[in-house]
Amino acid sequence: MCELFAMSARYPTTVHLSLDELARHGGATGPHRDGWGIAFVQGRDALLLREPEAASESSLVAYMQSHDVRAALTVAHLRKATQGERALANTQPFQRELGGRAHLFAHNGMLPGVEDDPRFAARRFRRVGGTDSEHAFCALLERLAPLWEAGEPDLAARLEVVTRFARDLATLGPANFLYSDADVIFAHGHRRRSGGDEARPPGLHWLCRRCSPSADGVPIAGLAIPHADAQEVALVASVPLSDEPWVPFREGEILMIRGGRVLRDARSA
């Protein structure tokens, strides 16, 4: 299955994805050879880099290593294709505009029948590629669009829509996803398949860290996070990226994360 990663920080910071580590997950020793992407949110917009290639063979990954991009919010995805051809249009994270903001979505799982399910109608927003994940994103934006018509909506209202969406999505199949409106990360952990086993929780893991002013960078399995004074960082990943005590998501759990802190959790199940 695909792998998801997100970072939220109190202060804008750089995230270094080392070629060795990314290659290990993205094609060298892992099965995720069908594309990779990463989005760095800066204000209301996002710098989105993605390729329908194995990260282990990507010259763009090497370029990223030598060009630091500073952001307080990052969403990344490694793809193992299960639906849709190996193409840029099917490579995540997906991005759309809503309410004058860049909205991002990355999904891990299978959603058979989502295109024909009336609960996931997509009219204003249409998918560019051929994946069930992108259709699900478009359907989520359809539900959120009324909230953004009069400006930035209340966080509680946003969480309510995302929670109902996650509950519906989970009836179709594994529904681990990261959604961000360039303000908050909504992370939903459901079930994940490891190897040929049946999909089961946890679908995601999370870790929060407060970095002291005197600390040097914190190496995390190929990710180096330099930080400012009293930096706070929250990480979400499909699998733990270090030996630290990552917390597994409960099945159906949703975390709402901003500025390196978990603001609130909810259950879709």
Side-chain angles (χ1 to χ4, degrees):
M1 299 182 76
C2 302
E3 287 197 16
L4 308 178
F5 171 79
M7 184 204 73
S8 172
R10 180 179 179 184
Y11 301 109
T13 187
T14 56
V15 180
H16 298 284
L17 288 87
S18 75
L19 182 60
D20 289 344
E21 179 65 16
L22 191 57
R24 186 175 72 82
H25 287 275
T29 60
H32 311 94
R33 297 187 54 83
D34 301 314
W36 67 275
I38 185 167
F40 302 94
V41 175
Q42 298 177 337
R44 292 172 174 265
D45 207 351
L47 171 64
L48 178 61
L49 303 174
R50 56 194 181 118
E51 288 184 309
E53 309 292 340
S56 58
E57 302 166 4
S58 171
S59 59
L60 185 55
V61 173
Y63 176 87
M64 288 170 54
Q65 288 181 296
S66 59
H67 292 74
D68 292 340
V69 181
R70 192 169 293 273
L73 195 161
T74 299
V75 175
H77 182 275
L78 291 174
R79 186 180 187 222
K80 183 179 185 296
T82 54
Q83 185 184 87
E85 64 179 336
R86 184 172 172 175
L88 180 63
N90 294 329
T91 306
Q92 303 184 46
F94 301 116
Q95 178 177 326
R96 295 288 193 281
E97 177 277 332
L98 176 62
R101 289 179 176 270
H103 293 245
L104 301 162
F105 186 82
H107 168 253
N108 163 226
M110 292 284 291
L111 305 170
V114 67
E115 300 91 342
D116 301 318
D117 192 318
R119 295 175 298 172
F120 302 99
R123 300 180 181 88
R124 171 181 170 184
F125 299 93
R126 304 292 181 88
R127 66 181 182 182
V128 177
T131 66
D132 49 8
S133 299
E134 188 181 13
H135 182 91
F137 179 36
C138 293
L140 172 59
L141 293 179
E142 291 282 356
R143 297 188 184 196
L144 288 164
L147 295 182
W148 288 88
E149 290 178 354
E152 183 175 314
D154 179 76
L155 273 177
R158 283 181 261 172
L159 179 60
E160 181 179 358
V161 172
V162 173
T163 300
R164 291 180 178 177
F165 169 79
R167 182 185 302 122
D168 290 343
L169 203 65
T171 64
L172 300 180
N176 309 295
F177 66 79
L178 301 170
Y179 160 65
S180 177
D181 53 19
D183 175 37
V184 174
I185 295 172
F186 298 86
H188 176 246
H190 186 218
R191 301 174 181 173
R192 189 172 188 274
R193 181 176 291 107
S194 178
D197 297 338
E198 180 182 352
R200 63 189 63 181
L204 292 173
H205 299 76
W206 64 274
L207 175 70
C208 285
R209 167 184 298 118
R210 190 175 192 275
C211 307
S212 66
S214 61
D216 298 324
V218 182
I220 309 173
L223 301 174
I225 305 177
H227 52 79
D229 290 353
Q231 176 69 297
E232 294 178 273
V233 177
L235 305 173
V236 177
S238 295
V239 295
L241 299 175
S242 68
D243 294 331
E244 296 166 278
W246 289 71
V247 181
F249 277 60
R250 296 169 293 165
E251 184 173 1
E253 184 174 19
I254 298 173
L255 296 187
M256 190 166 61
I257 305 169
R258 179 204 273 159
R261 295 182 176 183
V262 175
L263 301 180
R264 183 177 173 183
D265 65 342
R267 293 294 297 277
S268 67

